[in-house]
Amino acid sequence: MNILIVEDEDNKRFSIEGFLSELFSDDVEFDFARSLRAGLLKASLGNDQFDLLLLDMSMPHFDPSVEAPSGAVPDSFAGEEMMSQMELRDICIPVIVVTQYTVFEKGSVTLPMLDCQYRERFGSFYRGIVYYSSVSDDWKNNLKKIMSDLGFCDV
């Protein structure tokens, strides 16, 4: 299994990678991107290569270590923008959003609301949303459940 993780926070990325490495043993390979632009480029080039894309919701448009530092400010809906761009480019890698936020837009947008919107808008490739917390393992069960529904693993 080949997984693209688009995540700008190293600790979260390492945690996700570690969990999936345990889940799939040696049968998983990862590629990473730290920004919307880098993630879109890798997804475009690897449209047939990746089995799954784990996508952060809030991230910078550009990777400050590689690209313009002015684009390094996180955008709350960069993940949504990436899915919009994927749709425009006919990139059909299954996407699971993994976010550390339970609400957006100062509490007016919740994860269930986003999940519903994304299922309607990006239904050809969007597969679900997982709330990630470094103090709880609930995210692991939720991610595993979505991956099981996709046929990637057993619950």
Side-chain angles (χ1 to χ4, degrees), residues 7 9-17 55-57 98-100 132 139:
E7 171 61 56
E9 186 181 307
D10 288 338
N11 288 337
K12 181 178 164 193
R13 180 176 62 87
F14 295 146
S15 184
I16 293 168
E17 179 185 4
L55 179 62
D56 189 18
M57 181 56 69
V98 182
T99 182
Q100 293 186 83
Y132 173 89
W139 68 270

Side-chain angles (χ1 to χ4, degrees), residues 99-115:
T99 182
Q100 293 186 83
Y101 297 101
T102 57
V103 294
F104 296 85
E105 297 288 318
K106 298 182 181 178
S108 64
V109 178
T110 65
L111 290 184
M113 291 167 69
L114 285 179
D115 185 52

Side-chain angles (χ1 to χ4, degrees), residues 12 55-58 76-77 79-80 83 96-120 122 126-133 138-139 142-143 146:
K12 181 178 164 193
L55 179 62
D56 189 18
M57 181 56 69
S58 177
S76 295
F77 290 99
E80 181 177 316
M83 289 188 286
I96 301 173
V97 172
V98 182
T99 182
Q100 293 186 83
Y101 297 101
T102 57
V103 294
F104 296 85
E105 297 288 318
K106 298 182 181 178
S108 64
V109 178
T110 65
L111 290 184
M113 291 167 69
L114 285 179
D115 185 52
C116 184
Q117 290 173 15
Y118 294 160
R119 286 184 190 283
E120 288 179 21
F122 306 115
Y126 172 79
R127 298 297 178 254
I129 196 163
V130 172
Y131 168 65
Y132 173 89
S133 171
D138 290 346
W139 68 270
N142 295 333
L143 180 58
I146 295 170

Side-chain angles (χ1 to χ4, degrees), residues 31-42:
D31 199 351
F32 308 99
R34 298 176 52 90
S35 67
L36 183 153
R37 183 174 166 165
L40 189 57
L41 178 64
K42 287 189 180 209

